[in-house]
Amino acid sequence: MSRFKVELQALPAQKFTARLGSFTLTIELQWMARAEVFRVNIFTAQGAPLTAGRYLLPGADLLASLYPPPGANYGSLMLVGDMATPANLGINNMLVWADE
């Protein structure tokens, strides 16, 4: 099993690309002040949406229950550590990808 940390910045909104195994995905994070949670949108390298509006919660797999193309396995991507806020994102927690 391969695991690695996806770099995050302590910002209320960010968009970045991440190499997850053989796939490059674009990840958008937006802080929702009223709900006090980050909303996550994930796109393929070609810009096709994989998921939108998922919440960034500790232990929740952001790539679960996707319908990838045949033969594509994106693995899992989850927040490990404290509940994310704009002040502690990437400091008291980390986004971890695993290929299983």
Side-chain angles (χ1 to χ4, degrees), residues 2 9 11 17 24 27 30 38 43 48 54 70 78 84 86 88:
S2 298
Q9 297 179 31
L11 298 170
T17 59
T24 300
I27 301 170
Q30 294 179 329
F38 277 96
F43 304 89
R54 292 193 180 196
M78 63 181 64
N88 76 3

Side-chain angles (χ1 to χ4, degrees), residues 6-83:
V6 177
E7 292 298 323
L8 298 171
Q9 297 179 31
L11 298 170
Q14 57 190 291
K15 181 177 180 178
F16 57 92
T17 59
R19 182 85 176 156
L20 306 179
S22 60
F23 300 97
T24 300
L25 301 179
T26 299
I27 301 170
E28 292 179 343
L29 300 176
Q30 294 179 329
W31 178 247
M32 299 177 60
R34 182 171 284 182
E36 295 186 351
V37 68
F38 277 96
R39 185 180 68 194
V40 181
N41 301 323
I42 303 175
F43 304 89
T44 66
Q46 296 77 28
L50 288 176
T51 187
R54 292 193 180 196
Y55 292 146
L56 183 62
L57 302 171
D61 183 1
L62 296 170
L63 300 176
S65 302
L66 297 180
Y67 297 101
N73 179 7
Y74 294 111
S76 66
L77 183 65
M78 63 181 64
L79 185 70
V80 176
D82 293 345
M83 182 71 178

